[in-house]
Amino acid sequence: MEGLRTSDYDFALPKELIAQDPLAERSSSRLLVLDKETGARTHHQFREIMDFLRAGDCLVLNNTKVIPARLYGSKKETGAAIEVLLLKRRKGDVWETLIKPGKKAKPGTELVFGNGALTAQVVDVVEEGNRLIQFRYEGIWEELLDRLGEMPLPPYITHKLQDKNRYQTVYAKYEGSAAAPTAGLHFTEELLHKIEKMGVSLACVTLHVGLGTFRPVKVENVTEHHMHSEYYEVTEEAAGCINDTKRNGGRVICVGTTSCRTIESAADASGIVQPGCGNTEIFIYPGYRFRVLDGLITNFHLPQSTLLMLVSALAGRGHVLAAYEEAVRERYRFFSFGDAMFVI
């Protein structure tokens, strides 16, 4: 089947189109609307998204909150500088992490952060070479992390973030992500209020974004790529809202690929979303049959990424790559702080 090679998802992107800073006004970003059936494209400002929503629709939002997950410290023994990225809390104060440089961070290695306000020991090596670290500290973990940690911006963003809140959605609630669900960054509280007033319901789910966001696809055969596990939660209220929307003939529109992966993971074979929590490794690429999703609001993604494959599963690889080529021609801003696309 066409579209099952990683190289099928390549496109040329001039470096200057990678957005380095968020816009002053969240909803003033641009919006490319793509018809998933015909491939037709139109260009708008994000706040005009209301023109493409209808009463009876349901927007699904991922209310995860990014933690300041990047810590800079040193090895206690040698004083060598070290960088730690928190990926997933395992239990208590044991975290799965990505360490740079990692090769010499063997079990037993002692680490120091913030002049000793936070110390840690490497306790194990797990899949992909990640390290399990046991942290030790006095006081409140969240306050310590807020003081010592930095927002874990993706490697393609080289500018320092001036305002931590701009890498959070306005509806971020539950801490646990190593990256933001960036499609939601375009929404303001005012815009969401207007959308609700027009009869669109909002359903909040939670997926804590982990290592999968940072991992490139290293195999040419797409089906051989393994997604990293991420924790998700769907409340009874959210499941009921989504299921009622489908039953009443409304459209379920996910804000971001993380919301999409959450509801598709939580849905049973007949497309009914079940409340509950768990870990998902769902990998959506062309050939996948969506159980719940009707539309998707998403940013412009990296070449050869699992996120680009997911969008292609919804709208067709040809339509999506043609839209990306047009976005490049029209000088759209790409990636986390970039512009948005609405696939309907």
Side-chain angles (χ1 to χ4, degrees), residues 14-35:
K15 232 178 178 171
E16 67 270 17
L17 295 186
I18 299 172
Q20 292 295 324
D21 303 288
L23 295 176
E25 167 58 39
R26 286 178 187 261
S27 61
S28 64
S29 48
R30 293 166 76 189
L31 178 70
L32 189 155
V33 177
L34 173 65
D35 185 310

Side-chain angles (χ1 to χ4, degrees), residues 105-339:
K106 295 181 170 60
T109 304
E110 296 279 346
L111 308 174
V112 182
F113 308 91
N115 295 322
L118 178 65
T119 61
Q121 184 182 60
V122 180
V123 293
D124 202 2
V125 180
V126 290
E127 64 171 328
E128 302 292 328
N130 297 344
R131 280 10 183 214
L132 289 186
I133 290 183
Q134 169 85 57
F135 286 100
R136 296 183 296 268
Y137 55 91
E138 288 181 8
I140 298 166
W141 168 253
E142 287 76 13
E143 289 179 3
L144 201 60
L145 198 59
D146 201 49
R147 183 161 63 85
L148 299 178
E150 287 190 9
M151 279 301 188
L153 295 181
Y156 49 75
I157 293 177
T158 56
H159 291 191
K160 194 168 173 65
L161 184 62
Q162 299 305 313
D163 176 5
K164 274 184 184 178
N165 287 327
R166 289 311 309 272
Y167 196 56
Q168 302 279 20
T169 62
V170 295
Y171 46 81
K173 191 173 183 182
Y174 299 109
E175 294 192 331
S177 275
T182 53
L185 296 178
H186 306 281
F187 286 95
T188 61
E189 286 174 358
E190 181 191 11
L191 182 56
L192 286 169
H193 183 63
K194 284 180 180 173
I195 286 169
E196 275 192 294
K197 272 184 79 174
M198 64 180 281
V200 175
S201 54
L202 306 181
C204 286
V205 299
T206 307
L207 181 135
H208 292 321
V209 189
L211 185 65
T213 296
F214 298 95
R215 280 183 71 203
V217 180
K218 292 179 177 174
V219 288
E220 176 59 2
N221 182 346
V222 167
T223 61
E224 292 173 5
H225 177 72
H226 174 65
M227 293 287 280
H228 202 78
S229 156
E230 292 168 315
Y231 175 81
Y232 74 89
E233 200 165 315
V234 178
T235 63
E236 284 196 17
E237 184 186 5
C241 182
I242 295 163
N243 293 332
D244 286 348
T245 298
K246 295 294 275 191
R247 198 177 299 116
N248 296 329
R251 298 174 301 172
V252 173
I253 296 161
C254 285
V255 177
T257 56
T258 59
S259 304
C260 163
R261 292 176 62 243
T262 302
I263 64 168
E264 292 294 315
S265 297
D268 63 22
S270 57
I272 306 296
V273 175
Q274 302 294 330
C277 59
N279 291 293
T280 180
E281 296 176 354
I282 192 170
F283 180 18
I284 297 174
Y285 53 84
Y288 179 84
R289 290 177 69 89
F290 288 90
R291 295 174 173 185
V292 190
L293 178 96
D294 297 301
L296 178 68
I297 298 164
T298 187
N299 279 19
F300 290 92
H301 304 295
L302 278 79
Q304 300 192 14
S305 63
T306 60
L307 306 178
L308 185 53
M309 293 168 191
L310 185 153
V311 182
S312 298
L314 180 63
R317 175 178 152 271
H319 289 343
V320 171
L321 288 180
Y324 271 54
E325 284 172 18
E326 185 160 301
V328 169
R329 282 198 303 274
E330 296 289 332
R331 312 295 287 173
Y332 273 66
R333 302 162 77 248
F334 275 68
F335 306 162
S336 296
F337 288 139
D339 296 314

